[in-house]
Structure formats: structure tokens, C-alpha cells
Amino acid sequence: MLLLGAKGSGKTTTALALAERGWLHAGDDLVVLAESDNGDLMVWPGKPTAAIRDPLRALAPKPLRDLEPFAAAPAPLRWIVRLAVHPSGGEASLTSAVPLSVNERLRLHEGLARYISGLPTPLTGVASAPYGPVWPLDTPACAQWRANLIGALNNHRFDYLYAPTACAAADLLTKEADR
């Protein structure tokens, strides 16, 4: 499963709650998506640690935590979930996002374009670099790859999940996966 969401949306805490329910981690903030020889999308394990801020020490550095259990090999991508965990979220619920809306396709294009090689890239050209050099990492070939990837994601289960807590999100995902 690939968890997507804005900063602070509950991705890491939900992943930790899923691990407590027997799920494997494949990374926090970084995984690699690739096509297998037969065209399936695969999730390759990424960073095996997570930086988790103590809510009582908001200004303190985030200590690193090992993600356990951690995947040792790539696995087929089966499910994508855009997550929003917030106390005002009400009862945990899943809503299908397939077929992907124009807004979701744009959000995916933007997210993928901004973090090529881990460096933010501009969405539009700039005449001069506002904060230092900006390397031209994005190319027409890369944009075509993103479009193909988003098309492939549209062929997978893709849901929006709203939940009041990460535990409620993990419970619903586990229950749904067991069906």
C-alpha cells in the first residue's frame, strides 16, 4: 500500500499503527516505484527510519526511529490511499478515488515533479533562481514518465481515507484488506 497525504496528514503514525497490526514497512517519506518486466508497478523498500516529533516538544529535533518490521524485497503495488487523519475527521471512512479526478491527477503530477531526486523543482520556468541555483532535473521524458505512472495508478485501487486517529485509520485499512 502506498500512503499519500500532505505534511502532517498522519502517514507516518498510520504506518506505525499498521506495523503494530502486522503490516510491513517499506519506507517513510521515500519509496521507489518501478515497473516489473511484466508491467506491474512495484514498491521497492526505501528509507528504513522515520523521524517522529514528540508533540510535547514541538521545537525539538525529531529523533529517528527504526521501522520494524521492514520489507526486505520489492512487492507489487496493490492499493493507494490518500490519507487525512484529524481529530475532527469523524468516523473513519474510505471513498474511492477511481477514476482519478482532474484535481487528483494534477496533485500527483505536482507532487512527483517537485521531488525528482529529492530536490524541489519549479512548476514553471524561472528567469533567475530566487534562492540559489535550480538544476533542470525535470525533462519532457520525465514528464511523460509521470503521465504514464499516473495512468498506471488509475488502474489500481485508490481511496481517500478520513479518520480521527491513526489507530482508527489503521483499523479500517486492516479490516478492508482482510476482505
Side-chain angles (χ1 to χ4, degrees):
M1 174 187 305
L2 181 62
L3 294 176
L4 304 174
K7 182 178 178 178
S9 63
K11 298 178 300 293
T12 300
T13 53
T14 298
L16 293 171
L18 286 167
E20 290 173 0
R21 289 153 180 79
W23 295 57
L24 289 176
H25 288 283
D28 184 67
D29 290 336
L30 175 66
V31 295
V32 175
L33 294 178
E35 272 188 299
S36 67
D37 291 337
N38 64 0
D40 290 338
L41 286 179
M42 304 293 291
V43 177
W44 286 71
K47 189 175 73 164
T49 58
I52 302 169
R53 177 167 283 131
D54 179 349
L56 300 176
R57 301 180 65 218
L59 298 178
K62 295 180 185 179
L64 285 181
R65 175 175 169 175
D66 289 334
L67 298 175
E68 296 175 348
F70 196 78
L77 177 63
R78 298 284 184 239
W79 192 5
I80 304 110
V81 175
R82 184 166 296 282
L83 190 61
V85 172
H86 193 274
S88 65
E91 188 175 332
S93 65
L94 282 170
T95 304
S96 177
V98 175
L100 296 178
S101 69
V102 171
N103 284 346
E104 184 61 49
R105 285 176 179 273
L106 289 171
R107 187 177 353 193
L108 288 167
H109 268 289
E110 178 183 0
L112 292 168
R114 288 175 154 256
Y115 296 100
I116 296 166
S117 300
L119 295 172
T121 58
L123 294 178
T124 60
V126 292
S128 63
Y131 303 107
V134 176
W135 294 275
L137 298 173
D138 205 2
T139 64
C142 208
Q144 183 60 52
W145 176 85
R146 279 196 310 277
N148 291 339
L149 175 63
I150 291 166
L153 293 177
N154 197 42
N155 295 325
H156 287 75
R157 180 172 181 183
F158 196 130
D159 291 315
Y160 295 129
L161 187 151
Y162 302 95
T165 66
C167 287
D171 288 342
L172 180 57
L173 291 170
T174 300
K175 179 181 171 184
E176 189 70 18
D178 289 341
R179 286 185 179 194

